[in-house]
Amino acid sequence: HYDGETRIATIHKDVMLSDNRGTLYTDELTYFRNEDYGCYLTGGSIVSDSATLTSVRGYYYTKSHDVYFRKQVNVQHPRFTLTADTLKYNTGSKTVFFTGPTCMHSENRSIISANGWYQTETEAAAFYQRSQIYSENSLLIADSVHYENLKEKGNAYGNILLLDTDTHHCLQGNYMEFDRQSRYAFATDSAMVTYIEDGDSLFLHADTLWMNLDSVDEVQQALSYPETHFFRKDFQGRCGRMEYIAADSLVRLLHSPVLWSDSNQFL
């Protein structure tokens, strides 16, 4: 049915709306020619290259190539699956925008986020509003996270918590950077690491905590500088710089070290 005055078309049964960037499939579509968009309210899907996006309601803007999905949103992609209540997808840039509670799962990572975006071709992503990223035996929570999967590098900003879910060791700070190809990671701005051992906690604080990694992301060398402070219930200490070398399992305190243990002080 087409109304020539309002320029609104209503189409039923096996509807397909297609351009050179994606194809929409549904059983009932209303298309508004004045605004150049179509919508479905009883279920539909968008197929764009290797991604398939389904929802109960959808709004497809043909000029901007934006698709807004509402209710029971599901994305199937060769590299990930995604579920949400609200989602925006641009078929031109092939970018998914999270605008509500969203769960994203890939082979070795799960992400819970309420605000962010993911570019399906470059695999670059940004997550905001205290998103949670689960990766094998770790959990990362931060105000915002930027990650480039193909380059294997990322940054986190604001009230960061990185937790080892096996040992319960945790790293905190307001800025963190990770680069798997260059084999390093560091935290700064109120950086602190907490080690859990034998039911007790060791707290270590410094301006910067730096780690050099091997090919399986194991720490080979760890540095804390400057103004390193550490404490546990049975000893405390400080120094200008601390070094840990995995090869000999030794911790070295450099630049005016002081160590307190019980009633003893070591200089």
Side-chain angles (χ1 to χ4, degrees), residues 118-136:
Y118 177 79
Q119 213 288 332
T120 60
E121 288 190 331
T122 65
E123 298 185 50
F127 308 101
Y128 309 102
Q129 296 181 357
R130 305 300 293 167
S131 297
Q132 303 174 40
I133 302 176
Y134 297 84
S135 181
E136 296 179 356

Side-chain angles (χ1 to χ4, degrees), residues 19-263:
D19 60 20
N20 60 355
R21 300 177 186 271
T23 304
L24 182 154
Y25 299 93
T26 185
D27 281 333
E28 183 174 322
L29 177 72
T30 302
Y31 190 81
F32 301 83
R33 289 195 59 200
N34 288 334
E35 294 84 6
D36 281 328
Y37 82 93
C39 71
Y40 60 84
L41 304 176
T42 58
S45 64
I46 294 283
V47 177
S48 178
D49 293 335
S50 54
T52 301
L53 301 90
T54 61
S55 66
V56 175
R57 299 195 300 268
Y59 305 82
Y60 189 8
Y61 291 82
T62 54
K63 281 188 176 180
S64 64
H65 307 293
D66 288 325
V67 192
Y68 294 85
F69 298 91
R70 301 284 192 273
K71 198 174 181 180
Q72 299 178 21
V73 182
N74 182 275
V75 180
Q76 295 292 328
H77 189 275
R79 290 191 297 270
F80 67 90
T81 60
L82 184 151
T83 57
D85 183 72
T86 303
L87 197 72
K88 172 186 170 183
Y89 180 68
N90 186 278
T91 60
S93 65
K94 297 179 176 60
T95 303
V96 178
F97 297 89
F98 317 128
T99 55
T102 302
C103 296
M104 183 176 177
H105 302 281
S106 61
E107 183 178 358
N108 57 4
R109 188 175 293 111
S110 296
I111 299 167
I112 299 174
S113 178
N115 187 359
W117 56 266
Y118 177 79
Q119 213 288 332
T120 60
E121 288 190 331
T122 65
E123 298 185 50
F127 308 101
Y128 309 102
Q129 296 181 357
R130 305 300 293 167
S131 297
Q132 303 174 40
I133 302 176
Y134 297 84
S135 181
E136 296 179 356
N137 62 341
S138 68
L139 166 63
L140 173 65
I141 304 174
D143 289 346
S144 63
V145 178
H146 298 256
Y147 188 70
E148 297 180 72
N149 192 48
L150 296 181
K151 296 181 179 180
E152 296 184 294
K153 63 188 301 183
N155 312 80
Y157 305 83
N159 302 307
I160 306 162
L161 172 66
L162 178 59
L163 176 68
D164 187 313
T165 54
D166 290 336
T167 64
H168 300 292
H169 301 335
C170 71
L171 178 63
Q172 296 169 273
N174 283 300
Y175 178 77
M176 292 186 188
E177 184 173 314
F178 172 77
D179 191 323
R180 178 173 279 113
Q181 295 181 3
S182 298
R183 306 292 181 204
Y184 76 82
F186 74 88
T188 188
D189 190 359
S190 303
M192 184 175 74
V193 62
T194 305
Y195 294 97
I196 311 297
E197 293 180 321
D198 301 325
D200 197 5
S201 299
L202 170 66
F203 301 91
L204 188 149
H205 168 76
D207 178 78
T208 299
L209 302 173
W210 182 282
M211 292 159 282
N212 292 318
L213 311 172
D214 62 14
S215 58
V216 292
D217 297 336
E218 294 291 335
V219 176
Q220 296 302 295
Q221 180 186 32
L223 309 171
S224 65
Y225 58 89
E227 298 300 327
T228 299
H229 299 79
F230 54 92
F231 58 94
R232 200 172 68 176
K233 67 179 181 180
D234 54 347
F235 70 88
Q236 303 84 39
R238 70 183 186 191
C239 59
R241 177 186 179 95
M242 179 184 289
E243 295 183 358
Y244 166 76
I245 307 296
D248 56 19
S249 299
L250 289 178
V251 176
R252 297 171 173 83
L253 309 181
L254 308 172
H255 304 164
S256 304
V258 183
L259 181 64
W260 294 272
S261 179
D262 297 324
S263 59

